[in-house]
């Protein structure tokens, strides 16, 4: 069964304390892995797309990496405004363009 | 910056009633989607739509659900006879066709409450 698992479920950081979020996947024929940010009561906001193992993308304090089995979202020196739920989703062969989402990691950054 | 819009932001309905959720995708996008998120649960795929027809649908998308692109800008999701378990956030998304998996941009969602 195609699955996307994110860990940890929740993460509390002090402002400036760097950390990483994990997304592991078991799908047949990964076509793309996507990271989204979701604020409470809002729609997912697109952050990154990764297509192949070894690929890296950066945006401000965020950096996403991809291996053959998992992806990491590294947060460097986070600020309180980085507090949100971070969602990982995958697109795979045979799934056309549908996305399978993980349950997300709830990140809280405290001053 | 172009964005996906959805109306209404909140819809309250009685069980058994029909509801129509509306979306305006990003103007030059060709693929359209509906997802839902039950409170505290994962975002789940419902249906994808391309070239005026459904390209894929999930097990959730049964005969009670339908989608339509009634004109050049709107994309709608209809639930014919709502059930309590249809209560959720419904997100519309759109993506451009580039011949490879591409980013889906989501709207702000419609919160559907079925009483």
């Amino acid at each position: 069964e195609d699955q996307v698992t994110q860990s940890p479920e929740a993460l509390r950081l002090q402002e400036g304390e760097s950390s990483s979020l994990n997304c592991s996947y078991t799908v047949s024929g990964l076509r793309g892995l996507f990271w989204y940010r979701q604020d409470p009561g809002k729609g997912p906001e697109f952050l990154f797309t990764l297509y192949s193992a070894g690929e890296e993308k950066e945006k401000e304090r965020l950096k996403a990496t991809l291996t053959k089995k998992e992806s990491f979202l590294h947060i460097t020196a986070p600020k309180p405004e980085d507090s949100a739920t971070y969602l990982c989703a995958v697109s795979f062969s045979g799934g056309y363009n549908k996305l399978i989402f993980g349950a997300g990691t709830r990140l809280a950054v405290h001053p | 910056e172009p964005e996906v819009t959805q109306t209404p932001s909140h819809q309250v309905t009685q069980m058994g009633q029909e509801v129509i959720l509306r979306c305006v995708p990003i103007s030059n996008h060709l693929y359209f989607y509906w997802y839902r998120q039950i409170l505290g649960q994962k975002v789940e795929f419902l249906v994808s739509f391309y070239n005026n027809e459904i390209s894929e649908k999930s097990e959730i998308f049964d005969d009670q659900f339908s989608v339509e692109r009634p004109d050049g800008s709107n994309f709608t999701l209809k639930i014919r006879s709502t059930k309590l378990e249809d209560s959720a956030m419904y997100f519309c998304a759109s993506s451009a066709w580039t011949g490879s998996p591409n980013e889906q941009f989501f709207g702000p969602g419609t919160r559907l409450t079925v009483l």
Side-chain angles (χ1 to χ4, degrees):
Chain A
E1 181 184 344
D2 300 316
Q3 280 198 356
V4 179
T5 304
Q6 293 188 244
S7 62
E9 289 185 12
L11 182 62
R12 178 188 169 116
L13 299 174
Q14 289 298 121
E15 185 172 2
E17 179 186 4
S18 301
S19 188
S20 296
L21 283 53
N22 177 264
C23 171
S24 63
Y25 58 91
T26 53
V27 297
S28 303
L30 180 75
R31 297 177 68 205
L33 185 141
F34 306 84
W35 282 98
Y36 287 86
R37 169 188 171 132
Q38 187 176 32
D39 292 302
K42 303 289 181 62
E45 175 190 345
F46 172 76
L47 293 174
F48 302 110
T49 309
L50 301 166
Y51 292 110
S52 57
E55 190 174 0
E56 298 182 352
K57 294 275 181 73
E58 282 190 71
K59 180 180 179 180
E60 297 181 352
R61 294 177 292 282
L62 301 177
K63 179 180 176 180
T65 62
L66 181 64
T67 71
K68 288 186 177 181
K69 294 182 179 180
E70 58 191 349
S71 176
F72 292 93
L73 184 65
H74 307 277
I75 304 177
T76 302
K79 299 181 178 182
E81 53 261 42
D82 294 322
S83 299
T85 296
Y86 290 86
L87 303 175
C88 171
V90 299
S91 169
F92 59 100
S93 299
Y96 294 91
N97 279 334
K98 78 176 181 185
L99 296 180
I100 295 180
F101 279 84
T105 293
R106 292 190 314 278
L107 173 66
V109 182
H110 297 270
Chain B
E1 184 175 330
E3 60 183 19
V4 177
T5 60
Q6 291 185 241
T7 54
S9 57
H10 191 189
Q11 174 94 45
V12 180
T13 189
Q14 295 292 325
M15 189 171 54
Q17 294 296 304
E18 174 183 288
V19 295
I20 298 175
L21 310 183
R22 292 181 167 80
C23 167
V24 178
I26 294 173
S27 62
N28 62 342
H29 284 186
L30 300 177
Y31 269 91
F32 314 116
Y33 313 84
W34 285 100
Y35 291 80
R36 80 174 185 186
Q37 186 175 32
I38 295 171
L39 188 63
Q41 297 188 21
K42 295 181 181 183
V43 176
E44 302 175 283
F45 170 79
L46 293 178
V47 65
S48 59
F49 191 86
Y50 172 71
N51 199 25
N52 283 320
E53 60 182 27
I54 291 174
S55 54
E56 189 175 10
K57 60 184 181 180
S58 72
E59 294 174 352
I60 303 168
F61 195 87
D62 61 22
D63 292 344
Q64 293 301 311
F65 291 86
S66 63
V67 289
E68 189 179 31
R69 188 154 163 82
D71 53 42
S73 59
N74 290 283
F75 180 51
T76 63
L77 174 69
K78 180 192 290 186
I79 308 175
R80 290 190 181 82
S81 179
T82 51
K83 304 171 187 172
L84 295 176
E85 54 264 37
D86 293 328
S87 294
M89 280 287 283
Y90 287 80
F91 296 110
C92 174
S94 69
S95 63
W97 172 245
T98 64
S100 64
N102 50 70
E103 299 85 5
Q104 294 182 22
F105 294 89
F106 285 73
T110 293
R111 180 174 300 283
L112 178 64
T113 302
V114 182
L115 303 176

